[in-house]
Amino acid sequence: MTGHEPTGRGSAGRTPTGRGLPGRIVRAPLVLLWLLWHVVLSSVALTRAALTPGPMGSPVLVRYPMHSRTDVEVTALAWAITVTPGTLVTVIGETDLWVHVVLGGPREEMIDMLRETEDRILSVLRAPGDRLDAERGGSA
């Protein structure tokens, strides 16, 4: 290769859309801030539910079909879910997670919440072209 042939990547190792490693480095603290915000929101919701007289709500056990493939991706996703108050990964399977949600709601909403968390984790851990964009029907 002479260095002039197209390799599927733009200059400096970036993808043609310009969202390569520098973009992932910038997104990492933003994803951590997003997660921290959800930890605060969940803490407030749990505190309010615990201090309010009456039943706390209906906990649910949700099976989440994850798109994470590597041990690092699965571990990061499970950590992000478990560190959020009111959620706990109970089982890690080959292709799915079982998540207990204390202040549950409709399963579809819980799946959407878990999908958003996974998408944000994968936006940092995977290169943009390797994030299953086509499978999800758009950018993750």
mmCIF file of all heavy atoms in Angstrom, residues 52-91:
data_model
loop_
_atom_site.group_PDB
_atom_site.id
_atom_site.type_symbol
_atom_site.label_atom_id
_atom_site.label_comp_id
_atom_site.label_asym_id
_atom_site.label_seq_id
_atom_site.Cartn_x
_atom_site.Cartn_y
_atom_site.Cartn_z
ATOM 1 N N THR A 52 -42.699 8.298 51.337
ATOM 2 C CA THR A 52 -44.132 8.481 51.097
ATOM 3 C C THR A 52 -44.889 7.294 51.681
ATOM 4 O O THR A 52 -44.530 6.141 51.421
ATOM 5 C CB THR A 52 -44.415 8.582 49.584
ATOM 6 O OG1 THR A 52 -43.659 9.668 49.063
ATOM 7 C CG2 THR A 52 -45.884 8.803 49.314
ATOM 8 N N PRO A 53 -45.928 7.556 52.462
ATOM 9 C CA PRO A 53 -46.704 6.441 53.010
ATOM 10 C C PRO A 53 -47.356 5.628 51.884
ATOM 11 O O PRO A 53 -47.696 6.152 50.831
ATOM 12 C CB PRO A 53 -47.774 7.124 53.864
ATOM 13 C CG PRO A 53 -47.301 8.513 54.065
ATOM 14 C CD PRO A 53 -46.409 8.845 52.916
ATOM 15 N N GLY A 54 -47.508 4.351 52.139
ATOM 16 C CA GLY A 54 -48.146 3.479 51.160
ATOM 17 C C GLY A 54 -47.128 2.604 50.440
ATOM 18 O O GLY A 54 -45.936 2.637 50.731
ATOM 19 N N PRO A 55 -47.611 1.819 49.498
ATOM 20 C CA PRO A 55 -46.708 0.924 48.774
ATOM 21 C C PRO A 55 -45.704 1.709 47.944
ATOM 22 O O PRO A 55 -45.975 2.807 47.467
ATOM 23 C CB PRO A 55 -47.632 0.102 47.874
ATOM 24 C CG PRO A 55 -49.007 0.607 48.071
ATOM 25 C CD PRO A 55 -48.990 1.686 49.088
ATOM 26 N N MET A 56 -44.516 1.119 47.777
ATOM 27 C CA MET A 56 -43.430 1.777 47.047
ATOM 28 C C MET A 56 -43.593 1.696 45.541
ATOM 29 O O MET A 56 -42.958 2.430 44.817
ATOM 30 C CB MET A 56 -42.087 1.154 47.424
ATOM 31 C CG MET A 56 -41.238 2.087 48.214
ATOM 32 S SD MET A 56 -39.694 1.348 48.671
ATOM 33 C CE MET A 56 -38.597 2.035 47.470
ATOM 34 N N GLY A 57 -44.356 0.817 45.054
ATOM 35 C CA GLY A 57 -44.469 0.634 43.612
ATOM 36 C C GLY A 57 -44.376 -0.842 43.284
ATOM 37 O O GLY A 57 -44.370 -1.688 44.170
ATOM 38 N N SER A 58 -44.298 -1.134 42.031
ATOM 39 C CA SER A 58 -44.228 -2.543 41.642
ATOM 40 C C SER A 58 -42.878 -2.838 40.988
ATOM 41 O O SER A 58 -42.621 -2.416 39.859
ATOM 42 C CB SER A 58 -45.361 -2.880 40.678
ATOM 43 O OG SER A 58 -45.310 -2.008 39.564
ATOM 44 N N PRO A 59 -42.010 -3.527 41.703
ATOM 45 C CA PRO A 59 -40.720 -3.890 41.115
ATOM 46 C C PRO A 59 -40.916 -4.867 39.960
ATOM 47 O O PRO A 59 -41.878 -5.633 39.943
ATOM 48 C CB PRO A 59 -39.957 -4.552 42.262
ATOM 49 C CG PRO A 59 -40.877 -4.640 43.405
ATOM 50 C CD PRO A 59 -42.160 -3.988 43.059
ATOM 51 N N VAL A 60 -40.019 -4.797 38.991
ATOM 52 C CA VAL A 60 -40.099 -5.704 37.846
ATOM 53 C C VAL A 60 -38.739 -6.328 37.597
ATOM 54 O O VAL A 60 -37.701 -5.767 37.935
ATOM 55 C CB VAL A 60 -40.577 -4.979 36.558
ATOM 56 C CG1 VAL A 60 -41.998 -4.507 36.678
ATOM 57 C CG2 VAL A 60 -39.670 -3.834 36.188
ATOM 58 N N LEU A 61 -38.775 -7.506 37.026
ATOM 59 C CA LEU A 61 -37.573 -8.183 36.568
ATOM 60 C C LEU A 61 -37.650 -8.191 35.050
ATOM 61 O O LEU A 61 -38.575 -8.753 34.470
ATOM 62 C CB LEU A 61 -37.511 -9.615 37.125
ATOM 63 C CG LEU A 61 -36.224 -10.379 36.857
ATOM 64 C CD1 LEU A 61 -35.029 -9.676 37.497
ATOM 65 C CD2 LEU A 61 -36.337 -11.794 37.390
ATOM 66 N N VAL A 62 -36.697 -7.527 34.414
ATOM 67 C CA VAL A 62 -36.733 -7.319 32.974
ATOM 68 C C VAL A 62 -35.600 -8.098 32.309
ATOM 69 O O VAL A 62 -34.462 -8.043 32.767
ATOM 70 C CB VAL A 62 -36.566 -5.821 32.641
ATOM 71 C CG1 VAL A 62 -36.550 -5.580 31.142
ATOM 72 C CG2 VAL A 62 -37.648 -5.001 33.294
ATOM 73 N N ARG A 63 -35.945 -8.808 31.228
ATOM 74 C CA ARG A 63 -34.924 -9.456 30.404
ATOM 75 C C ARG A 63 -34.556 -8.471 29.310
ATOM 76 O O ARG A 63 -35.405 -8.059 28.532
ATOM 77 C CB ARG A 63 -35.452 -10.746 29.789
ATOM 78 C CG ARG A 63 -34.429 -11.475 28.941
ATOM 79 C CD ARG A 63 -35.095 -12.686 28.261
ATOM 80 N NE ARG A 63 -34.588 -12.963 26.954
ATOM 81 C CZ ARG A 63 -34.738 -12.252 25.845
ATOM 82 N NH1 ARG A 63 -35.392 -11.140 25.870
ATOM 83 N NH2 ARG A 63 -34.230 -12.630 24.700
ATOM 84 N N TYR A 64 -33.283 -8.077 29.274
ATOM 85 C CA TYR A 64 -32.823 -7.110 28.277
ATOM 86 C C TYR A 64 -31.898 -7.798 27.276
ATOM 87 O O TYR A 64 -30.822 -8.259 27.633
ATOM 88 C CB TYR A 64 -32.089 -5.941 28.945
ATOM 89 C CG TYR A 64 -31.498 -4.996 27.935
ATOM 90 C CD1 TYR A 64 -32.326 -4.216 27.137
ATOM 91 C CD2 TYR A 64 -30.136 -4.909 27.744
ATOM 92 C CE1 TYR A 64 -31.808 -3.367 26.186
ATOM 93 C CE2 TYR A 64 -29.602 -4.059 26.802
ATOM 94 C CZ TYR A 64 -30.440 -3.287 26.019
ATOM 95 O OH TYR A 64 -29.925 -2.455 25.074
ATOM 96 N N PRO A 65 -32.301 -7.876 26.002
ATOM 97 C CA PRO A 65 -31.434 -8.471 24.980
ATOM 98 C C PRO A 65 -30.349 -7.473 24.580
ATOM 99 O O PRO A 65 -30.594 -6.541 23.825
ATOM 100 C CB PRO A 65 -32.392 -8.757 23.825
ATOM 101 C CG PRO A 65 -33.493 -7.781 24.002
ATOM 102 C CD PRO A 65 -33.596 -7.499 25.477
ATOM 103 N N MET A 66 -29.158 -7.655 25.102
ATOM 104 C CA MET A 66 -28.096 -6.666 24.901
ATOM 105 C C MET A 66 -27.382 -6.860 23.569
ATOM 106 O O MET A 66 -27.393 -7.937 22.984
ATOM 107 C CB MET A 66 -27.107 -6.723 26.058
ATOM 108 C CG MET A 66 -26.346 -8.000 26.188
ATOM 109 S SD MET A 66 -25.280 -7.950 27.622
ATOM 110 C CE MET A 66 -24.920 -9.689 27.772
ATOM 111 N N HIS A 67 -26.771 -5.780 23.122
ATOM 112 C CA HIS A 67 -25.986 -5.786 21.895
ATOM 113 C C HIS A 67 -24.497 -5.763 22.199
ATOM 114 O O HIS A 67 -23.693 -5.809 21.277
ATOM 115 C CB HIS A 67 -26.365 -4.601 21.017
ATOM 116 C CG HIS A 67 -27.790 -4.675 20.556
ATOM 117 N ND1 HIS A 67 -28.191 -5.468 19.514
ATOM 118 C CD2 HIS A 67 -28.900 -4.075 21.018
ATOM 119 C CE1 HIS A 67 -29.489 -5.349 19.343
ATOM 120 N NE2 HIS A 67 -29.949 -4.509 20.252
ATOM 121 N N SER A 68 -24.136 -5.655 23.459
ATOM 122 C CA SER A 68 -22.734 -5.677 23.857
ATOM 123 C C SER A 68 -22.164 -7.055 23.559
ATOM 124 O O SER A 68 -22.823 -8.065 23.794
ATOM 125 C CB SER A 68 -22.600 -5.360 25.346
ATOM 126 O OG SER A 68 -23.085 -4.070 25.613
ATOM 127 N N ARG A 69 -20.934 -7.075 23.050
ATOM 128 C CA ARG A 69 -20.326 -8.346 22.653
ATOM 129 C C ARG A 69 -19.127 -8.744 23.504
ATOM 130 O O ARG A 69 -18.963 -9.905 23.821
ATOM 131 C CB ARG A 69 -19.879 -8.263 21.190
ATOM 132 C CG ARG A 69 -20.990 -8.077 20.205
ATOM 133 C CD ARG A 69 -20.491 -8.183 18.780
ATOM 134 N NE ARG A 69 -19.442 -7.242 18.472
ATOM 135 C CZ ARG A 69 -19.519 -6.276 17.567
ATOM 136 N NH1 ARG A 69 -20.611 -6.145 16.872
ATOM 137 N NH2 ARG A 69 -18.517 -5.471 17.345
ATOM 138 N N THR A 70 -18.286 -7.783 23.843
ATOM 139 C CA THR A 70 -17.051 -8.124 24.543
ATOM 140 C C THR A 70 -17.269 -8.107 26.055
ATOM 141 O O THR A 70 -18.246 -7.528 26.550
ATOM 142 C CB THR A 70 -15.926 -7.136 24.187
ATOM 143 O OG1 THR A 70 -16.252 -5.845 24.718
ATOM 144 C CG2 THR A 70 -15.720 -7.049 22.674
ATOM 145 N N ASP A 71 -16.346 -8.715 26.763
ATOM 146 C CA ASP A 71 -16.424 -8.711 28.224
ATOM 147 C C ASP A 71 -16.391 -7.286 28.775
ATOM 148 O O ASP A 71 -17.093 -6.970 29.739
ATOM 149 C CB ASP A 71 -15.266 -9.514 28.824
ATOM 150 C CG ASP A 71 -15.420 -11.007 28.618
ATOM 151 O OD1 ASP A 71 -16.528 -11.458 28.261
ATOM 152 O OD2 ASP A 71 -14.425 -11.734 28.805
ATOM 153 N N VAL A 72 -15.585 -6.416 28.175
ATOM 154 C CA VAL A 72 -15.493 -5.032 28.641
ATOM 155 C C VAL A 72 -16.826 -4.323 28.444
ATOM 156 O O VAL A 72 -17.296 -3.611 29.339
ATOM 157 C CB VAL A 72 -14.354 -4.283 27.912
ATOM 158 C CG1 VAL A 72 -14.400 -2.787 28.189
ATOM 159 C CG2 VAL A 72 -13.006 -4.859 28.303
ATOM 160 N N GLU A 73 -17.451 -4.504 27.284
ATOM 161 C CA GLU A 73 -18.739 -3.867 27.019
ATOM 162 C C GLU A 73 -19.817 -4.358 27.980
ATOM 163 O O GLU A 73 -20.571 -3.560 28.546
ATOM 164 C CB GLU A 73 -19.176 -4.128 25.578
ATOM 165 C CG GLU A 73 -18.321 -3.448 24.536
ATOM 166 C CD GLU A 73 -18.615 -3.897 23.123
ATOM 167 O OE1 GLU A 73 -19.420 -4.833 22.920
ATOM 168 O OE2 GLU A 73 -18.017 -3.306 22.196
ATOM 169 N N VAL A 74 -19.874 -5.661 28.189
ATOM 170 C CA VAL A 74 -20.881 -6.237 29.089
ATOM 171 C C VAL A 74 -20.639 -5.769 30.522
ATOM 172 O O VAL A 74 -21.577 -5.393 31.229
ATOM 173 C CB VAL A 74 -20.892 -7.776 28.992
ATOM 174 C CG1 VAL A 74 -21.805 -8.387 30.040
ATOM 175 C CG2 VAL A 74 -21.305 -8.218 27.597
ATOM 176 N N THR A 75 -19.380 -5.757 30.941
ATOM 177 C CA THR A 75 -19.044 -5.323 32.298
ATOM 178 C C THR A 75 -19.394 -3.852 32.497
ATOM 179 O O THR A 75 -19.975 -3.480 33.527
ATOM 180 C CB THR A 75 -17.557 -5.563 32.591
ATOM 181 O OG1 THR A 75 -17.285 -6.964 32.444
ATOM 182 C CG2 THR A 75 -17.174 -5.115 33.984
ATOM 183 N N ALA A 76 -19.063 -3.010 31.525
ATOM 184 C CA ALA A 76 -19.374 -1.579 31.640
ATOM 185 C C ALA A 76 -20.883 -1.357 31.705
ATOM 186 O O ALA A 76 -21.369 -0.543 32.495
ATOM 187 C CB ALA A 76 -18.768 -0.814 30.463
ATOM 188 N N LEU A 77 -21.625 -2.082 30.878
ATOM 189 C CA LEU A 77 -23.082 -1.951 30.895
ATOM 190 C C LEU A 77 -23.659 -2.421 32.225
ATOM 191 O O LEU A 77 -24.485 -1.730 32.839
ATOM 192 C CB LEU A 77 -23.698 -2.745 29.742
ATOM 193 C CG LEU A 77 -25.221 -2.782 29.686
ATOM 194 C CD1 LEU A 77 -25.801 -1.380 29.556
ATOM 195 C CD2 LEU A 77 -25.682 -3.673 28.546
ATOM 196 N N ALA A 78 -23.233 -3.577 32.696
ATOM 197 C CA ALA A 78 -23.735 -4.098 33.969
ATOM 198 C C ALA A 78 -23.382 -3.158 35.120
ATOM 199 O O ALA A 78 -24.202 -2.926 36.014
ATOM 200 C CB ALA A 78 -23.173 -5.496 34.221
ATOM 201 N N TRP A 79 -22.184 -2.589 35.080
ATOM 202 C CA TRP A 79 -21.784 -1.646 36.129
ATOM 203 C C TRP A 79 -22.663 -0.401 36.090
ATOM 204 O O TRP A 79 -23.149 0.055 37.127
ATOM 205 C CB TRP A 79 -20.315 -1.260 35.960
ATOM 206 C CG TRP A 79 -19.903 -0.207 36.936
ATOM 207 C CD1 TRP A 79 -19.531 -0.384 38.227
ATOM 208 C CD2 TRP A 79 -19.876 1.201 36.698
ATOM 209 N NE1 TRP A 79 -19.267 0.833 38.815
ATOM 210 C CE2 TRP A 79 -19.461 1.816 37.893
ATOM 211 C CE3 TRP A 79 -20.147 1.992 35.591
ATOM 212 C CZ2 TRP A 79 -19.320 3.193 38.012
ATOM 213 C CZ3 TRP A 79 -20.010 3.368 35.718
ATOM 214 C CH2 TRP A 79 -19.593 3.952 36.918
ATOM 215 N N ALA A 80 -22.874 0.149 34.893
ATOM 216 C CA ALA A 80 -23.678 1.368 34.760
ATOM 217 C C ALA A 80 -25.109 1.146 35.259
ATOM 218 O O ALA A 80 -25.698 2.024 35.879
ATOM 219 C CB ALA A 80 -23.693 1.842 33.306
ATOM 220 N N ILE A 81 -25.643 -0.036 35.004
ATOM 221 C CA ILE A 81 -26.999 -0.347 35.468
ATOM 222 C C ILE A 81 -27.012 -0.519 36.977
ATOM 223 O O ILE A 81 -27.857 0.039 37.682
ATOM 224 C CB ILE A 81 -27.533 -1.611 34.765
ATOM 225 C CG1 ILE A 81 -27.743 -1.323 33.273
ATOM 226 C CG2 ILE A 81 -28.813 -2.103 35.418
ATOM 227 C CD1 ILE A 81 -27.990 -2.571 32.436
ATOM 228 N N THR A 82 -26.066 -1.277 37.505
ATOM 229 C CA THR A 82 -26.063 -1.607 38.925
ATOM 230 C C THR A 82 -25.700 -0.415 39.799
ATOM 231 O O THR A 82 -26.194 -0.302 40.925
ATOM 232 C CB THR A 82 -25.119 -2.795 39.187
ATOM 233 O OG1 THR A 82 -25.592 -3.918 38.433
ATOM 234 C CG2 THR A 82 -25.073 -3.167 40.647
ATOM 235 N N VAL A 83 -24.884 0.507 39.305
ATOM 236 C CA VAL A 83 -24.494 1.672 40.108
ATOM 237 C C VAL A 83 -25.659 2.660 40.243
ATOM 238 O O VAL A 83 -25.678 3.472 41.167
ATOM 239 C CB VAL A 83 -23.237 2.360 39.519
ATOM 240 C CG1 VAL A 83 -23.555 3.178 38.284
ATOM 241 C CG2 VAL A 83 -22.539 3.206 40.561
ATOM 242 N N THR A 84 -26.633 2.558 39.371
ATOM 243 C CA THR A 84 -27.809 3.426 39.448
ATOM 244 C C THR A 84 -28.749 2.893 40.528
ATOM 245 O O THR A 84 -29.168 1.741 40.475
ATOM 246 C CB THR A 84 -28.533 3.462 38.087
ATOM 247 O OG1 THR A 84 -27.595 3.846 37.081
ATOM 248 C CG2 THR A 84 -29.688 4.439 38.114
ATOM 249 N N PRO A 85 -29.068 3.710 41.529
ATOM 250 C CA PRO A 85 -29.943 3.236 42.605
ATOM 251 C C PRO A 85 -31.281 2.724 42.073
ATOM 252 O O PRO A 85 -31.882 3.314 41.177
ATOM 253 C CB PRO A 85 -30.149 4.491 43.457
ATOM 254 C CG PRO A 85 -28.940 5.327 43.186
ATOM 255 C CD PRO A 85 -28.615 5.082 41.740
ATOM 256 N N GLY A 86 -31.716 1.614 42.621
ATOM 257 C CA GLY A 86 -32.998 1.040 42.231
ATOM 258 C C GLY A 86 -32.915 0.043 41.093
ATOM 259 O O GLY A 86 -33.931 -0.527 40.707
ATOM 260 N N THR A 87 -31.731 -0.163 40.548
ATOM 261 C CA THR A 87 -31.567 -1.159 39.488
ATOM 262 C C THR A 87 -30.424 -2.096 39.853
ATOM 263 O O THR A 87 -29.443 -1.684 40.470
ATOM 264 C CB THR A 87 -31.270 -0.517 38.114
ATOM 265 O OG1 THR A 87 -30.083 0.269 38.203
ATOM 266 C CG2 THR A 87 -32.430 0.337 37.644
ATOM 267 N N LEU A 88 -30.572 -3.348 39.482
ATOM 268 C CA LEU A 88 -29.567 -4.354 39.803
ATOM 269 C C LEU A 88 -29.561 -5.418 38.724
ATOM 270 O O LEU A 88 -30.608 -5.980 38.386
ATOM 271 C CB LEU A 88 -29.890 -5.013 41.148
ATOM 272 C CG LEU A 88 -28.994 -6.164 41.582
ATOM 273 C CD1 LEU A 88 -27.594 -5.659 41.894
ATOM 274 C CD2 LEU A 88 -29.594 -6.877 42.769
ATOM 275 N N VAL A 89 -28.385 -5.679 38.162
ATOM 276 C CA VAL A 89 -28.250 -6.776 37.208
ATOM 277 C C VAL A 89 -28.185 -8.059 38.023
ATOM 278 O O VAL A 89 -27.313 -8.229 38.871
ATOM 279 C CB VAL A 89 -26.990 -6.615 36.334
ATOM 280 C CG1 VAL A 89 -26.788 -7.839 35.453
ATOM 281 C CG2 VAL A 89 -27.087 -5.364 35.481
ATOM 282 N N THR A 90 -29.134 -8.950 37.793
ATOM 283 C CA THR A 90 -29.188 -10.189 38.566
ATOM 284 C C THR A 90 -28.556 -11.361 37.840
ATOM 285 O O THR A 90 -28.001 -12.247 38.480
ATOM 286 C CB THR A 90 -30.639 -10.541 38.935
ATOM 287 O OG1 THR A 90 -31.398 -10.659 37.734
ATOM 288 C CG2 THR A 90 -31.252 -9.469 39.817
ATOM 289 N N VAL A 91 -28.658 -11.383 36.504
ATOM 290 C CA VAL A 91 -28.091 -12.471 35.712
ATOM 291 C C VAL A 91 -27.470 -11.881 34.450
ATOM 292 O O VAL A 91 -28.087 -11.035 33.794
ATOM 293 C CB VAL A 91 -29.164 -13.507 35.303
ATOM 294 C CG1 VAL A 91 -28.575 -14.584 34.407
ATOM 295 C CG2 VAL A 91 -29.814 -14.128 36.526
#
